[in-house]
Amino acid sequence: MTDSEYRHLAERLTAAGADLAAIESKLRDLQIETPSWGYGDSGTRFGVFPQAGRPRDVFERIEDAAATQRLTGNASAVALHFPWDQIEDYGELKAAIANAGLSVGAINPNLFGDPDYKLGSITNPDAGVRAKALEHLHQCLQIGTTLEATGQSLWLADGTNYAGQDDFSARRDRLEESLHAWYQEFPVEQEMYIEYKFFEPAFYATDLADWGSALLIAQSLGDQAKVLVDLGHHAQGVNIEQIVNLVQRAGKLGGFHFNNRKYADDDLIVGSVNPLELFFIFVELTAAGKTLPRLTIDQSHNVEQKLEAMVRSVMNLQESYAKALLVDRAALLAAQEAGDVLAGHEVLLDAFNTDVRPLTAHIRTELGAAANPIAELRGSGYLARRIAERDSQTIELKG
Ligand code: PSV
Ligand code: MN
């Protein structure tokens, strides 16, 4: 992208009435969290394909998150997952994140990896297992306090595979009791984000299946409890932007896990399958009077180069956000009030079909990041250096 392409676009947008200075200021302020777990090894249930130069511990995952930030300029925080990122000394982790020029994103407790959670964690019929799960949640709050994190992002794998396996009401009672107990411990500095998912690993009923079940519990807990929308966690065809609007109106939209899917919870690069849906979501997020919630990427890159995939994801978010900021809200309202169906739709399409790449490249340059992040990454030798360092030495694994 060249300066002249930017100037040309800027002139055209300004002539069309856009407040470019205000839009550019919002683009500079965009804050995206990338997930520590998105940089390390991952796979499907059929296999894992280790990548050359992949990070071996949380410190190396932070190095890669910092590379994403340097290249894109808007990925300033790193979300953490425990115990995947567990280490002895969280002071050391906090310093490493700060030294990398990043801030601490949401803390993600993990209540799905331990064999004890086979029949559930905080909904398990066994009180001992529930107590163990609550202890982990308690520890995550403490880690959050040490790291000065501002949120805990909870996803439950809890659910049942067969009708009759357990009782819906009993499970909901256990869920409510446990989350109320955890909520009582929350310091004012942290929020609780409740993620929902309609299937997997449970295949009959998950205990937080949809936005309604998450919203109900968030409302019963209090102001610090909110709903988190993961784009891979809905049935096919569900209108996610309408859910976003509803939860936002209830004052309970806490955050996002961005990814994209074609079939199920595919965890593909955000915007890679359905960029139009992503844009419609940003149209809701940028409506008058709304403030952006926490924006986190939650992806698993299996066949594509992981760092490139993360950088591409941030760029896709930058572009989608920029397009939403271009929507002519006055024209949209006028069309809606006039009952002019296609005029309203076309206002959205005009923004969606604008090639904003010169604008997002310009903003990245202003932020000291790269106009062309993928080309810059490929030309920088970053990956070759990481392969040389990480694949040739053995280190004491810290997390
Ligand atoms: C579950 O599918 C999920 O979306 C949760 O957010 C987990 O923390 C994450 O994926 C693990 O990759
Ligand atoms: Mn998620």
Side-chain angles (χ1 to χ4, degrees), residues 33-309:
E33 298 186 6
T34 68
S36 69
W37 61 96
Y39 295 100
D41 270 344
S42 61
T44 67
R45 64 198 168 103
F46 301 104
V48 175
F49 307 112
Q51 291 191 4
R54 67 197 179 282
R56 296 162 295 177
D57 64 5
V58 63
F59 296 100
E60 293 181 352
R61 292 192 277 277
I62 287 163
E63 276 175 11
D64 284 1
T68 305
Q69 162 62 355
R70 277 196 302 280
L71 291 160
T72 64
N74 288 130
S76 54
V78 58
L80 301 166
H81 218 298
F82 294 97
W84 291 339
D85 291 323
Q86 185 175 311
I87 52 163
E88 291 278 301
D89 180 357
Y90 288 110
E92 196 187 345
L93 183 57
K94 188 176 169 193
I97 292 172
N99 290 340
L102 298 172
S103 57
V104 178
I107 305 294
N108 289 247
N110 185 323
L111 294 179
F112 50 88
D114 190 307
D116 280 352
Y117 299 143
K118 186 170 86 170
L119 300 182
S121 59
I122 57 173
T123 64
N124 197 298
D126 182 330
V129 176
R130 295 203 297 280
K132 172 175 169 166
L134 260 179
E135 176 55 26
H136 174 63
L137 294 178
H138 167 74
Q139 280 170 10
C140 283
L141 267 183
Q142 291 192 321
I143 294 170
T145 298
T146 308
L147 296 178
E148 293 183 46
T150 53
Q152 301 275 328
S153 192
L154 180 68
W155 172 67
L156 289 184
D158 295 32
T160 52
N161 270 10
Y162 297 96
Q165 178 185 327
D166 201 354
D167 180 80
F168 288 138
S169 290
R171 292 185 78 85
R172 189 74 186 179
D173 285 346
R174 295 176 209 133
L175 176 88
E176 288 177 1
E177 193 189 332
S178 304
L179 286 186
H180 277 271
W182 190 37
Y183 187 77
Q184 297 313 312
E185 293 184 29
F186 267 63
V188 285
E189 296 79 19
Q190 295 191 48
E191 288 189 322
M192 183 196 293
Y193 308 112
I194 303 168
E195 191 171 350
Y196 56 89
K197 179 172 175 176
F198 79 113
F199 88 117
E200 196 196 32
F203 291 116
Y204 171 62
T206 58
D207 289 302
L208 283 166
D210 56 21
W211 65 274
S213 36
L215 180 60
L216 282 173
I217 184 89
Q219 284 174 328
S220 81
L221 291 172
D223 289 348
Q224 284 167 261
K226 297 188 171 157
V227 176
L228 185 136
V229 178
D230 183 312
L231 299 192
H233 290 190
H234 307 83
Q236 290 281 6
V238 165
N239 187 333
I240 301 177
E241 58 270 25
Q242 189 180 26
I243 293 172
V244 168
N245 175 275
L246 280 165
V247 179
Q248 209 172 29
R249 282 172 58 83
K252 285 292 190 187
L253 186 67
F256 272 86
H257 273 181
F258 283 114
N259 49 58
N260 215 175
R261 64 87 175 274
K262 187 154 178 66
Y263 299 106
D265 189 17
D266 304 345
D267 277 342
L268 300 172
I269 291 173
V270 59
S272 62
V273 181
N274 195 342
L276 189 57
E277 176 187 70
L278 183 65
F279 165 73
F280 290 150
I281 288 168
F282 270 108
V283 170
E284 294 305 321
L285 293 178
T286 53
K290 309 290 184 203
T291 49
L292 290 176
R294 188 178 283 264
L295 305 176
T296 308
I297 291 172
D298 178 11
Q299 292 175 180
S300 172
H301 307 121
N302 298 328
V303 296
E304 63 277 43
Q305 209 291 317
K306 287 172 193 297
L307 188 52
E308 289 183 5

Side-chain angles (χ1 to χ4, degrees), residues 322-334:
K323 288 179 182 202
L325 292 173
L326 290 183
V327 170
D328 183 340
R329 297 281 171 172
L332 185 62
L333 182 64

